[in-house]
Amino acid sequence: MARRTTWGTLLAIISMLLIAAPALGGGWAVVTLDALPSEPAAGKTISFGFMVRQHGDKPVDVHTWEDGEMPTFFATNTETGEKIQFTARKEGDLGHYVVDVAFPSAGDWEIEIVPTPFAGTHLGSVRCV
């Protein structure tokens, strides 16, 4: 009897996992930069243009969704640990945004853009002179 109950419980758990798996799928997006700037200068404002694509393919304006947030640009100086963030603005075609950034100091900056409600996309580093 205990063996039958164990198998029944195991079958119920597997069934729930199979039903839940499709609900977890599709909740991702990719951010791609229009171009990577060549050695920006500390204290000078530069603009990063980028696209947000749901599932890596379909352009999407995330600011029009329920949360209504614009994507956020984050950067961390790899030498000092200094962190900065800036909010993007909608500009151009569906899914296209621009963010104006001023790196406060020279060095290598790891950059990430977070298009809420999706997770962020790490975009490598930029050397600021």
Side-chain angles (χ1 to χ4, degrees):
M1 184 70 154
R3 185 176 233 162
R4 186 184 295 170
T5 303
T6 302
W7 281 108
T9 302
L10 182 60
L11 183 60
I13 291 170
I14 291 171
S15 297
M16 287 188 312
L17 290 174
L18 290 174
I19 292 169
L24 298 174
W28 61 278
V30 173
V31 173
T32 54
L33 293 176
D34 295 346
L36 198 58
S38 58
E39 294 193 350
K44 301 280 185 179
T45 301
I46 60 168
S47 297
F48 288 85
F50 62 92
M51 289 291 295
V52 177
R53 290 184 175 89
Q54 188 174 17
H55 306 142
D57 180 49
K58 178 184 170 191
V60 60
D61 283 343
V62 293
H63 73 282
T64 62
W65 290 19
E66 185 176 325
D67 293 339
E69 292 184 34
M70 291 291 190
T72 305
F73 176 99
F74 295 93
T76 303
N77 186 307
T78 59
E79 297 159 19
T80 66
E82 182 177 13
K83 297 179 184 293
I84 57 173
Q85 75 179 62
F86 297 90
T87 302
R89 68 181 178 278
K90 173 73 181 127
E91 191 173 286
D93 296 335
L94 179 68
H96 190 264
Y97 295 87
V98 175
V99 61
D100 298 321
V101 176
F103 294 100
S105 59
D108 291 326
W109 290 82
E110 287 289 325
I111 60 174
E112 176 183 23
I113 296 177
V114 179
T116 301
F118 301 110
T121 299
H122 293 276
L123 298 165
S125 65
V126 172
R127 175 169 290 277
C128 187
V129 294

